[in-house]
PDB file of all heavy atoms in Angstrom:
ATOM      1  N   ASP A 322       7.421 -12.646   4.510  1.00 95.00           N
ATOM      2  CA  ASP A 322       6.410 -13.524   5.069  1.00 95.00           C
ATOM      3  C   ASP A 322       5.940 -12.982   6.421  1.00 95.00           C
ATOM      4  O   ASP A 322       6.755 -12.692   7.293  1.00 95.00           O
ATOM      5  CB  ASP A 322       7.035 -14.910   5.235  1.00 95.00           C
ATOM      6  CG  ASP A 322       6.041 -15.995   5.576  1.00 95.00           C
ATOM      7  OD1 ASP A 322       4.885 -15.683   5.912  1.00 95.00           O
ATOM      8  OD2 ASP A 322       6.432 -17.170   5.518  1.00 95.00           O
ATOM      9  N   GLY A 323       4.617 -12.814   6.575  1.00 93.00           N
ATOM     10  CA  GLY A 323       4.049 -12.409   7.853  1.00 93.00           C
ATOM     11  C   GLY A 323       4.292 -10.972   8.277  1.00 93.00           C
ATOM     12  O   GLY A 323       4.192 -10.654   9.459  1.00 93.00           O
ATOM     13  N   ALA A 324       4.584 -10.086   7.349  1.00 96.00           N
ATOM     14  CA  ALA A 324       4.866  -8.685   7.687  1.00 96.00           C
ATOM     15  C   ALA A 324       3.663  -7.980   8.303  1.00 96.00           C
ATOM     16  O   ALA A 324       3.825  -7.040   9.091  1.00 96.00           O
ATOM     17  CB  ALA A 324       5.340  -7.925   6.444  1.00 96.00           C
ATOM     18  N   PHE A 325       2.448  -8.406   7.962  1.00 98.00           N
ATOM     19  CA  PHE A 325       1.217  -7.781   8.456  1.00 98.00           C
ATOM     20  C   PHE A 325       0.253  -8.848   8.947  1.00 98.00           C
ATOM     21  O   PHE A 325       0.351 -10.009   8.563  1.00 98.00           O
ATOM     22  CB  PHE A 325       0.552  -6.959   7.337  1.00 98.00           C
ATOM     23  CG  PHE A 325       1.351  -5.746   6.954  1.00 98.00           C
ATOM     24  CD1 PHE A 325       2.304  -5.813   5.948  1.00 98.00           C
ATOM     25  CD2 PHE A 325       1.166  -4.543   7.619  1.00 98.00           C
ATOM     26  CE1 PHE A 325       3.060  -4.703   5.621  1.00 98.00           C
ATOM     27  CE2 PHE A 325       1.914  -3.426   7.294  1.00 98.00           C
ATOM     28  CZ  PHE A 325       2.863  -3.507   6.287  1.00 98.00           C
ATOM     29  N   ASP A 326      -0.684  -8.400   9.775  1.00 97.00           N
ATOM     30  CA  ASP A 326      -1.739  -9.302  10.222  1.00 97.00           C
ATOM     31  C   ASP A 326      -2.850  -9.375   9.186  1.00 97.00           C
ATOM     32  O   ASP A 326      -3.329 -10.465   8.859  1.00 97.00           O
ATOM     33  CB  ASP A 326      -2.313  -8.811  11.559  1.00 97.00           C
ATOM     34  CG  ASP A 326      -1.263  -8.795  12.658  1.00 97.00           C
ATOM     35  OD1 ASP A 326      -0.611  -9.834  12.874  1.00 97.00           O
ATOM     36  OD2 ASP A 326      -1.080  -7.738  13.282  1.00 97.00           O
ATOM     37  N   VAL A 327      -3.269  -8.218   8.689  1.00 97.00           N
ATOM     38  CA  VAL A 327      -4.370  -8.123   7.734  1.00 97.00           C
ATOM     39  C   VAL A 327      -3.948  -7.215   6.592  1.00 97.00           C
ATOM     40  O   VAL A 327      -3.347  -6.157   6.831  1.00 97.00           O
ATOM     41  CB  VAL A 327      -5.641  -7.541   8.406  1.00 97.00           C
ATOM     42  CG1 VAL A 327      -6.753  -7.323   7.389  1.00 97.00           C
ATOM     43  CG2 VAL A 327      -6.114  -8.435   9.547  1.00 97.00           C
ATOM     44  N   ALA A 328      -4.241  -7.620   5.368  1.00 98.00           N
ATOM     45  CA  ALA A 328      -3.951  -6.771   4.203  1.00 98.00           C
ATOM     46  C   ALA A 328      -5.216  -6.647   3.357  1.00 98.00           C
ATOM     47  O   ALA A 328      -5.939  -7.630   3.143  1.00 98.00           O
ATOM     48  CB  ALA A 328      -2.826  -7.353   3.357  1.00 98.00           C
ATOM     49  N   PHE A 329      -5.467  -5.407   2.918  1.00 96.00           N
ATOM     50  CA  PHE A 329      -6.567  -5.098   2.012  1.00 96.00           C
ATOM     51  C   PHE A 329      -5.963  -4.673   0.682  1.00 96.00           C
ATOM     52  O   PHE A 329      -4.969  -3.958   0.665  1.00 96.00           O
ATOM     53  CB  PHE A 329      -7.389  -3.904   2.515  1.00 96.00           C
ATOM     54  CG  PHE A 329      -7.934  -4.041   3.901  1.00 96.00           C
ATOM     55  CD1 PHE A 329      -7.422  -3.287   4.933  1.00 96.00           C
ATOM     56  CD2 PHE A 329      -8.984  -4.909   4.163  1.00 96.00           C
ATOM     57  CE1 PHE A 329      -7.945  -3.387   6.216  1.00 96.00           C
ATOM     58  CE2 PHE A 329      -9.508  -5.016   5.435  1.00 96.00           C
ATOM     59  CZ  PHE A 329      -8.988  -4.246   6.467  1.00 96.00           C
ATOM     60  N   ALA A 330      -6.580  -5.082  -0.401  1.00 96.00           N
ATOM     61  CA  ALA A 330      -6.165  -4.610  -1.725  1.00 96.00           C
ATOM     62  C   ALA A 330      -7.426  -4.273  -2.513  1.00 96.00           C
ATOM     63  O   ALA A 330      -8.301  -5.119  -2.668  1.00 96.00           O
ATOM     64  CB  ALA A 330      -5.337  -5.661  -2.457  1.00 96.00           C
ATOM     65  N   ASP A 331      -7.492  -3.032  -2.968  1.00 94.00           N
ATOM     66  CA  ASP A 331      -8.642  -2.577  -3.757  1.00 94.00           C
ATOM     67  C   ASP A 331      -8.111  -1.902  -5.021  1.00 94.00           C
ATOM     68  O   ASP A 331      -8.220  -0.691  -5.175  1.00 94.00           O
ATOM     69  CB  ASP A 331      -9.501  -1.619  -2.926  1.00 94.00           C
ATOM     70  CG  ASP A 331     -10.759  -1.181  -3.658  1.00 94.00           C
ATOM     71  OD1 ASP A 331     -11.064  -1.756  -4.722  1.00 94.00           O
ATOM     72  OD2 ASP A 331     -11.417  -0.250  -3.177  1.00 94.00           O
ATOM     73  N   PRO A 332      -7.509  -2.690  -5.917  1.00 94.00           N
ATOM     74  CA  PRO A 332      -6.895  -2.109  -7.112  1.00 94.00           C
ATOM     75  C   PRO A 332      -7.917  -1.710  -8.158  1.00 94.00           C
ATOM     76  O   PRO A 332      -9.068  -2.164  -8.120  1.00 94.00           O
ATOM     77  CB  PRO A 332      -6.018  -3.252  -7.631  1.00 94.00           C
ATOM     78  CG  PRO A 332      -6.718  -4.490  -7.186  1.00 94.00           C
ATOM     79  CD  PRO A 332      -7.342  -4.142  -5.857  1.00 94.00           C
ATOM     80  N   PRO A 333      -7.505  -0.879  -9.108  1.00 90.00           N
ATOM     81  CA  PRO A 333      -8.386  -0.594 -10.255  1.00 90.00           C
ATOM     82  C   PRO A 333      -8.767  -1.913 -10.934  1.00 90.00           C
ATOM     83  O   PRO A 333      -7.955  -2.834 -11.029  1.00 90.00           O
ATOM     84  CB  PRO A 333      -7.517   0.264 -11.174  1.00 90.00           C
ATOM     85  CG  PRO A 333      -6.451   0.819 -10.296  1.00 90.00           C
ATOM     86  CD  PRO A 333      -6.209  -0.204  -9.221  1.00 90.00           C
ATOM     87  N   TYR A 334     -10.002  -1.984 -11.369  1.00 87.00           N
ATOM     88  CA  TYR A 334     -10.492  -3.193 -12.030  1.00 87.00           C
ATOM     89  C   TYR A 334      -9.902  -3.325 -13.435  1.00 87.00           C
ATOM     90  O   TYR A 334      -9.461  -2.362 -14.038  1.00 87.00           O
ATOM     91  CB  TYR A 334     -12.012  -3.152 -12.156  1.00 87.00           C
ATOM     92  CG  TYR A 334     -12.784  -3.317 -10.860  1.00 87.00           C
ATOM     93  CD1 TYR A 334     -14.159  -3.232 -10.862  1.00 87.00           C
ATOM     94  CD2 TYR A 334     -12.160  -3.565  -9.643  1.00 87.00           C
ATOM     95  CE1 TYR A 334     -14.903  -3.376  -9.697  1.00 87.00           C
ATOM     96  CE2 TYR A 334     -12.886  -3.712  -8.475  1.00 87.00           C
ATOM     97  CZ  TYR A 334     -14.264  -3.619  -8.505  1.00 87.00           C
ATOM     98  OH  TYR A 334     -14.990  -3.772  -7.357  1.00 87.00           O
ATOM     99  N   ALA A 335      -9.941  -4.550 -13.948  1.00 83.00           N
ATOM    100  CA  ALA A 335      -9.632  -4.883 -15.345  1.00 83.00           C
ATOM    101  C   ALA A 335      -8.217  -4.536 -15.771  1.00 83.00           C
ATOM    102  O   ALA A 335      -7.962  -4.273 -16.939  1.00 83.00           O
ATOM    103  CB  ALA A 335     -10.648  -4.236 -16.291  1.00 83.00           C
ATOM    104  N   GLN A 336      -7.271  -4.534 -14.824  1.00 91.00           N
ATOM    105  CA  GLN A 336      -5.875  -4.296 -15.181  1.00 91.00           C
ATOM    106  C   GLN A 336      -4.975  -5.446 -14.741  1.00 91.00           C
ATOM    107  O   GLN A 336      -3.764  -5.365 -14.869  1.00 91.00           O
ATOM    108  CB  GLN A 336      -5.388  -2.977 -14.559  1.00 91.00           C
ATOM    109  CG  GLN A 336      -6.109  -1.772 -15.094  1.00 91.00           C
ATOM    110  CD  GLN A 336      -5.591  -0.473 -14.490  1.00 91.00           C
ATOM    111  OE1 GLN A 336      -4.476  -0.402 -13.984  1.00 91.00           O
ATOM    112  NE2 GLN A 336      -6.403   0.564 -14.554  1.00 91.00           N
ATOM    113  N   GLY A 337      -5.568  -6.492 -14.167  1.00 94.00           N
ATOM    114  CA  GLY A 337      -4.795  -7.647 -13.721  1.00 94.00           C
ATOM    115  C   GLY A 337      -4.081  -7.425 -12.393  1.00 94.00           C
ATOM    116  O   GLY A 337      -3.323  -8.286 -11.956  1.00 94.00           O
ATOM    117  N   LEU A 338      -4.333  -6.296 -11.740  1.00 96.00           N
ATOM    118  CA  LEU A 338      -3.621  -5.982 -10.504  1.00 96.00           C
ATOM    119  C   LEU A 338      -4.099  -6.832  -9.330  1.00 96.00           C
ATOM    120  O   LEU A 338      -3.299  -7.227  -8.479  1.00 96.00           O
ATOM    121  CB  LEU A 338      -3.753  -4.496 -10.190  1.00 96.00           C
ATOM    122  CG  LEU A 338      -3.167  -3.562 -11.252  1.00 96.00           C
ATOM    123  CD1 LEU A 338      -3.517  -2.112 -10.951  1.00 96.00           C
ATOM    124  CD2 LEU A 338      -1.668  -3.744 -11.364  1.00 96.00           C
ATOM    125  N   ALA A 339      -5.385  -7.128  -9.268  1.00 96.00           N
ATOM    126  CA  ALA A 339      -5.903  -7.980  -8.195  1.00 96.00           C
ATOM    127  C   ALA A 339      -5.238  -9.357  -8.257  1.00 96.00           C
ATOM    128  O   ALA A 339      -4.802  -9.897  -7.231  1.00 96.00           O
ATOM    129  CB  ALA A 339      -7.420  -8.114  -8.317  1.00 96.00           C
ATOM    130  N   GLN A 340      -5.113  -9.890  -9.457  1.00 97.00           N
ATOM    131  CA  GLN A 340      -4.486 -11.189  -9.629  1.00 97.00           C
ATOM    132  C   GLN A 340      -2.999 -11.141  -9.260  1.00 97.00           C
ATOM    133  O   GLN A 340      -2.482 -12.080  -8.643  1.00 97.00           O
ATOM    134  CB  GLN A 340      -4.658 -11.679 -11.076  1.00 97.00           C
ATOM    135  CG  GLN A 340      -6.095 -11.943 -11.455  1.00 97.00           C
ATOM    136  CD  GLN A 340      -6.842 -10.700 -11.956  1.00 97.00           C
ATOM    137  OE1 GLN A 340      -6.404  -9.563 -11.804  1.00 97.00           O
ATOM    138  NE2 GLN A 340      -8.010 -10.923 -12.548  1.00 97.00           N
ATOM    139  N   ARG A 341      -2.318 -10.057  -9.617  1.00 97.00           N
ATOM    140  CA  ARG A 341      -0.887  -9.931  -9.287  1.00 97.00           C
ATOM    141  C   ARG A 341      -0.651  -9.914  -7.791  1.00 97.00           C
ATOM    142  O   ARG A 341       0.266 -10.570  -7.283  1.00 97.00           O
ATOM    143  CB  ARG A 341      -0.291  -8.671  -9.914  1.00 97.00           C
ATOM    144  CG  ARG A 341      -0.033  -8.821 -11.399  1.00 97.00           C
ATOM    145  CD  ARG A 341       0.576  -7.598 -12.012  1.00 97.00           C
ATOM    146  NE  ARG A 341       1.887  -7.288 -11.441  1.00 97.00           N
ATOM    147  CZ  ARG A 341       2.586  -6.203 -11.750  1.00 97.00           C
ATOM    148  NH1 ARG A 341       2.108  -5.317 -12.599  1.00 97.00           N
ATOM    149  NH2 ARG A 341       3.761  -5.986 -11.219  1.00 97.00           N
ATOM    150  N   VAL A 342      -1.483  -9.157  -7.071  1.00 98.00           N
ATOM    151  CA  VAL A 342      -1.327  -9.098  -5.612  1.00 98.00           C
ATOM    152  C   VAL A 342      -1.610 -10.468  -4.999  1.00 98.00           C
ATOM    153  O   VAL A 342      -0.865 -10.934  -4.133  1.00 98.00           O
ATOM    154  CB  VAL A 342      -2.246  -8.014  -5.002  1.00 98.00           C
ATOM    155  CG1 VAL A 342      -2.282  -8.118  -3.486  1.00 98.00           C
ATOM    156  CG2 VAL A 342      -1.776  -6.625  -5.425  1.00 98.00           C
ATOM    157  N   ALA A 343      -2.669 -11.134  -5.451  1.00 98.00           N
ATOM    158  CA  ALA A 343      -3.004 -12.454  -4.914  1.00 98.00           C
ATOM    159  C   ALA A 343      -1.900 -13.466  -5.211  1.00 98.00           C
ATOM    160  O   ALA A 343      -1.529 -14.260  -4.330  1.00 98.00           O
ATOM    161  CB  ALA A 343      -4.329 -12.929  -5.488  1.00 98.00           C
ATOM    162  N   LYS A 344      -1.365 -13.440  -6.423  1.00 97.00           N
ATOM    163  CA  LYS A 344      -0.269 -14.368  -6.766  1.00 97.00           C
ATOM    164  C   LYS A 344       0.948 -14.124  -5.887  1.00 97.00           C
ATOM    165  O   LYS A 344       1.592 -15.069  -5.430  1.00 97.00           O
ATOM    166  CB  LYS A 344       0.100 -14.233  -8.246  1.00 97.00           C
ATOM    167  CG  LYS A 344      -0.903 -14.875  -9.162  1.00 97.00           C
ATOM    168  CD  LYS A 344      -0.526 -14.692 -10.622  1.00 97.00           C
ATOM    169  CE  LYS A 344      -1.607 -15.221 -11.533  1.00 97.00           C
ATOM    170  NZ  LYS A 344      -1.344 -14.947 -12.939  1.00 97.00           N
ATOM    171  N   ARG A 345       1.267 -12.869  -5.641  1.00 97.00           N
ATOM    172  CA  ARG A 345       2.403 -12.554  -4.760  1.00 97.00           C
ATOM    173  C   ARG A 345       2.145 -13.085  -3.356  1.00 97.00           C
ATOM    174  O   ARG A 345       3.030 -13.658  -2.729  1.00 97.00           O
ATOM    175  CB  ARG A 345       2.668 -11.041  -4.737  1.00 97.00           C
ATOM    176  CG  ARG A 345       3.742 -10.629  -3.773  1.00 97.00           C
ATOM    177  CD  ARG A 345       5.096 -11.229  -4.111  1.00 97.00           C
ATOM    178  NE  ARG A 345       6.083 -10.804  -3.143  1.00 97.00           N
ATOM    179  CZ  ARG A 345       7.264 -11.358  -2.996  1.00 97.00           C
ATOM    180  NH1 ARG A 345       7.642 -12.359  -3.779  1.00 97.00           N
ATOM    181  NH2 ARG A 345       8.108 -10.912  -2.088  1.00 97.00           N
ATOM    182  N   TRP A 346       0.923 -12.913  -2.855  1.00 98.00           N
ATOM    183  CA  TRP A 346       0.594 -13.414  -1.523  1.00 98.00           C
ATOM    184  C   TRP A 346       0.724 -14.939  -1.478  1.00 98.00           C
ATOM    185  O   TRP A 346       1.202 -15.493  -0.487  1.00 98.00           O
ATOM    186  CB  TRP A 346      -0.820 -12.995  -1.125  1.00 98.00           C
ATOM    187  CG  TRP A 346      -1.132 -13.383   0.294  1.00 98.00           C
ATOM    188  CD1 TRP A 346      -0.915 -12.640   1.419  1.00 98.00           C
ATOM    189  CD2 TRP A 346      -1.680 -14.626   0.737  1.00 98.00           C
ATOM    190  NE1 TRP A 346      -1.308 -13.351   2.533  1.00 98.00           N
ATOM    191  CE2 TRP A 346      -1.783 -14.572   2.135  1.00 98.00           C
ATOM    192  CE3 TRP A 346      -2.103 -15.780   0.083  1.00 98.00           C
ATOM    193  CZ2 TRP A 346      -2.283 -15.628   2.899  1.00 98.00           C
ATOM    194  CZ3 TRP A 346      -2.604 -16.830   0.838  1.00 98.00           C
ATOM    195  CH2 TRP A 346      -2.690 -16.748   2.227  1.00 98.00           C
ATOM    196  N   LEU A 347       0.312 -15.615  -2.536  1.00 97.00           N
ATOM    197  CA  LEU A 347       0.440 -17.075  -2.572  1.00 97.00           C
ATOM    198  C   LEU A 347       1.905 -17.507  -2.563  1.00 97.00           C
ATOM    199  O   LEU A 347       2.239 -18.551  -2.004  1.00 97.00           O
ATOM    200  CB  LEU A 347      -0.290 -17.642  -3.786  1.00 97.00           C
ATOM    201  CG  LEU A 347      -1.822 -17.569  -3.711  1.00 97.00           C
ATOM    202  CD1 LEU A 347      -2.442 -17.841  -5.072  1.00 97.00           C
ATOM    203  CD2 LEU A 347      -2.367 -18.511  -2.644  1.00 97.00           C
ATOM    204  N   GLU A 348       2.789 -16.698  -3.151  1.00 96.00           N
ATOM    205  CA  GLU A 348       4.229 -16.981  -3.135  1.00 96.00           C
ATOM    206  C   GLU A 348       4.836 -16.666  -1.768  1.00 96.00           C
ATOM    207  O   GLU A 348       5.628 -17.448  -1.233  1.00 96.00           O
ATOM    208  CB  GLU A 348       4.955 -16.142  -4.193  1.00 96.00           C
ATOM    209  CG  GLU A 348       4.613 -16.482  -5.608  1.00 96.00           C
ATOM    210  CD  GLU A 348       5.108 -15.421  -6.592  1.00 96.00           C
ATOM    211  OE1 GLU A 348       5.731 -14.424  -6.175  1.00 96.00           O
ATOM    212  OE2 GLU A 348       4.856 -15.597  -7.801  1.00 96.00           O
TER     213      GLU A 348
END
């Protein structure tokens, strides 16, 4: 929790990776 101030994620499209990163951030 709180390891960074700002995080960017630009994963390959259509592989569900954007959703995985967002779900992890929500957790």
Side-chain angles (χ1 to χ4, degrees):
D322 190 348
F325 292 90
D326 298 307
V327 175
F329 305 109
D331 184 10
Y334 289 177
Q336 296 181 21
L338 299 172
Q340 295 86 346
R341 284 181 62 185
V342 170
K344 285 179 186 174
R345 175 62 180 165
W346 186 90
L347 289 166
E348 294 167 1

